[in-house]
Amino acid sequence: APIISIRNLTKTYGNGFKALKGVNLEIEEGEILALLGPNGAGKTTLISIVCGLVNPSGGQVLVGGHDVVKDFRQTRAMIGLVPQELTTDQFETVWNTVTFSRGVHGKKEDPAHIERVLKDLSLWEKRDNMMRELSGGMKRRVMIAKALSYEPRILFLDEPTAGVDVNLRREMWQVVERLRQNGVTIILTTHYIEEAEEIADRVGVINGGELLLVEAKTALMKKL
Ligand code: ADP
Ligand code: ADP
């Protein structure tokens, strides 16, 4: 069974605006999916509903077989959400920041797991540094480490490379590739077609609240 199943999903905001107009999408475990679309397309709305942060107007979303509205606690625990903004205390160490995130999500302490996560993200040498001492790329990796700290099966990356330079973008792509090898299902949003092409198995093009196509990335490149 797919790890995420989205059926006929609609969202109409209080002001009558139709942000999602019947989205259908199934995502397999271990897959990397890029959601490509311009500002206002509905990407954040879609992610917010899957994470259980916004209620759908119609349709259904199942995560690991559980309904995201009815079984919010179970489904939220399966999902790591990496927002665009850095939300860390500048005067806290990397180790504490990541360890604290695990605690916030109700998981038992597991230093061995935190060590693995920091090593996977090439942050191990920086574990005793304060957040404010890190480069921009390292700070972004700590945001991912915070999400991985509580062992989610699914990772959402909201515009992981928005406003970063070419080198940092390549670094983030490598990070995603390494996470794939650990079997984490990854859904990322992006404005950049090259990014979708480079790192995703499939690309969903979302525009005006509709998912226009979801195909193998090579097929996408031929169409555009
Ligand atoms: P994206 O993430 O692709 O930029 P969003 O999902 O954030 O798109 O927004 C989709 C559309 O829904 C936009 O036109 C946005 O203005 C509108 N929208 C988002 N949130 C609300 C809200 N709370 N009330 C009304 N309209 C909203
Ligand atoms: P989520 O991953 O669910 O977005 P966060 O880990 O960002 O949650 O933060 C959860 C809560 O813990 C927030 O209210 C945040 O302000 C608080 N928090 C996060 N990190 C720290 C910290 N190092 N010290 C104190 N409070 C923190």
Side-chain angles (χ1 to χ4, degrees):
I3 190 161
I4 299 177
S5 173
I6 298 172
R7 295 175 195 155
N8 261 318
L9 187 66
T10 60
K11 177 63 186 182
T12 305
Y13 282 110
N15 61 0
F17 185 83
K18 291 185 192 328
L20 295 178
K21 300 173 182 169
V23 169
N24 289 287
L25 176 62
E26 295 200 329
I27 301 170
E28 299 299 326
E29 184 136 39
E31 184 172 24
I32 300 185
L33 179 89
L35 285 174
L36 182 68
N39 272 329
K43 302 185 294 295
T44 305
T45 301
L46 181 61
I47 287 179
S48 301
I49 292 172
V50 176
C51 293
L53 305 174
V54 167
N55 276 327
S57 305
Q60 192 182 38
V61 179
L62 301 178
V63 172
H66 296 280
D67 185 292
V68 295
V69 177
K70 292 188 200 120
D71 304 320
F72 169 75
R73 291 171 68 87
Q74 273 153 297
T75 60
R76 183 66 185 87
M78 283 185 245
I79 299 172
L81 180 56
V82 182
Q84 274 184 58
E85 334 78 67
L86 304 171
T87 57
T88 54
D89 182 341
Q90 292 297 298
F91 294 93
E92 193 55 89
T93 64
V94 169
W95 178 269
N96 286 348
T97 298
V98 177
T99 300
F100 187 84
S101 174
R102 185 177 170 91
V104 163
H105 286 85
K107 287 270 192 163
K108 264 195 305 187
E109 272 188 44
D110 185 349
H113 175 67
I114 303 295
E115 180 176 339
R116 267 196 308 277
V117 167
L118 293 180
K119 284 181 172 167
D120 277 350
L121 292 167
S122 307
L123 288 167
W124 180 243
E125 276 69 42
K126 299 288 175 185
R127 62 191 178 280
D128 295 325
N129 285 78
M130 280 190 203
M131 288 300 300
R132 68 188 176 94
E133 296 169 321
L134 304 185
S135 69
M138 289 174 194
K139 283 177 183 163
R140 283 184 183 248
R141 277 184 272 140
V142 172
M143 292 299 298
I144 297 175
K146 279 177 66 181
L148 294 175
S149 70
Y150 51 95
E151 298 171 73
R153 291 164 67 188
I154 302 160
L155 192 65
F156 280 101
L157 301 169
D158 191 11
E159 307 251 356
T161 61
V164 309
D165 67 28
V166 176
N167 291 332
L168 194 46
R169 192 175 303 169
R170 294 219 162 276
E171 183 188 305
M172 289 305 296
W173 292 354
Q174 285 163 5
V175 166
V176 170
E177 191 52 45
R178 225 175 307 150
L179 297 178
R180 172 219 290 281
Q181 288 158 12
N182 296 352
V184 182
T185 305
I186 297 174
I187 295 116
L188 63 103
T189 63
T190 183
H191 280 91
Y192 305 112
I193 184 151
E194 330 82 73
E195 179 158 288
E197 159 74 358
E198 175 78 19
I199 60 180
D201 298 315
R202 285 194 303 159
V203 180
V205 178
I206 185 164
N207 197 11
E210 289 173 304
L211 193 61
L212 297 181
L213 63 109
V214 179
E215 289 186 21
K217 53 188 182 176
T218 46
L220 175 71
M221 288 312 276
K222 278 183 203 137
K223 278 200 177 180
L224 295 180

